[in-house]
């Protein structure tokens, strides 16, 4: 096991899951899968901050609703660290649409719909760095 292959990613527990008090259950899934929690904080962001966070989705038809949603209530931003953390977190999350997510994934277990899908996870090293800096600077 090479220490250098350890990397960091950003997870967000979205408003629907915070509201249903799923923080401990979701964090347990990370810890059980060798993703360490480096830092974690509960915050509520503004619509403008959500627009900045999701700016890569600016042109998508769901952008407006997505940004309203992410700013609609408290969220928990988490820095995860571990071997292959970015892909591992994506695998643990499951498909964007909970209906299509595999059994045992966070979205299959807890997601309500494609928009209220309980968690966010960075999708690349570059985005992970930017997203961690967004919440933890
Ligand atoms: N989303 C949505 N409708 C769609 C596609 C995506 O509401 O048709 C939302 C959903 O909450 C998703 C987020 O936009 O988590 C970002 O979309 P992305 O394609 O990056 O999915 P993810 O990386 O979260 O799986
Ligand atoms: Mg994404």
């Amino acid at each position: 096991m090479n220490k250098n292959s350890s990397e960091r990613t950003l997870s967000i527990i979205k408003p629907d899951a915070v509201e249903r008090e799923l923080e401990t259950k979701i964090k347990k899934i990370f810890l059980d899968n060798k993703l360490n929690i480096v830092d974690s904080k509960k915050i509520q962001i503004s619509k403008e901050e959500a627009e900045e966070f999701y700016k890569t989705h600016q042109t998508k038809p769901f952008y407006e609703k997505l940004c309203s949603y992410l700013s609609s209530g408290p969220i928990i931003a988490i820095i995860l660290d571990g071997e292959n953390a970015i892909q591992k977190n994506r695998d643990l999350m499951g498909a964007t649409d909970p209906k299509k997510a595999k059994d045992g994934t966070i979205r299959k277990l807890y997601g309500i719909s494609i928009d209220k899908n309980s968690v966010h996870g960075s999708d690349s090293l570059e985005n992970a760095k930017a997203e961690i800096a967004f919440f933890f600077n």
Side-chain angles (χ1 to χ4, degrees), residues 90-135:
R90 297 289 309 184
D91 292 346
L92 293 172
M93 287 162 61
T96 307
D97 183 353
K99 288 200 295 284
K100 294 176 185 160
K102 287 183 186 156
D103 283 350
T105 61
I106 296 168
R107 285 167 165 171
K108 177 73 174 195
L109 286 166
Y110 304 124
I112 295 169
S113 59
I114 194 163
D115 44 322
K116 296 185 175 182
N117 60 5
S118 302
V119 281
H120 166 84
S122 309
D123 62 3
S124 67
L125 197 56
E126 190 190 355
N127 287 339
K129 283 188 178 145
E131 291 178 359
I132 288 169
F134 184 90
F135 283 104

Side-chain angles (χ1 to χ4, degrees), residues 9-118:
T9 190
L10 184 86
S11 168
I12 298 174
I13 303 180
K14 293 184 178 181
D16 67 275
V18 175
E19 190 175 59
R20 287 176 290 148
E21 300 182 347
L22 293 169
E23 176 179 2
T24 308
K25 283 177 177 161
I26 291 172
K27 285 183 170 175
K28 185 174 188 308
I29 294 173
F30 296 144
L31 297 172
D32 286 348
N33 286 278
K34 294 187 188 166
L35 288 175
N36 300 313
I37 294 169
V38 176
D39 208 345
S40 169
K41 67 177 175 192
K42 188 189 257 189
I43 46 165
Q44 183 159 2
I45 60 172
S46 67
K47 175 94 183 288
E48 290 70 27
E49 287 168 324
E51 285 168 356
E52 174 62 21
F53 180 77
Y54 272 130
K55 64 180 181 232
T56 54
H57 290 303
Q58 229 158 19
T59 58
K60 309 274 174 60
F62 56 83
Y63 179 65
E64 172 68 26
K65 206 177 151 200
L66 173 62
C67 296
S68 296
Y69 173 61
L70 195 70
S71 57
S72 68
I75 59 174
I76 298 164
I78 304 163
I79 302 175
L80 296 173
D81 177 284
E83 191 87 11
N84 201 21
I86 296 167
Q87 188 58 49
K88 189 183 273 183
N89 180 42
R90 297 289 309 184
D91 292 346
L92 293 172
M93 287 162 61
T96 307
D97 183 353
K99 288 200 295 284
K100 294 176 185 160
K102 287 183 186 156
D103 283 350
T105 61
I106 296 168
R107 285 167 165 171
K108 177 73 174 195
L109 286 166
Y110 304 124
I112 295 169
S113 59
I114 194 163
D115 44 322
K116 296 185 175 182
N117 60 5
S118 302

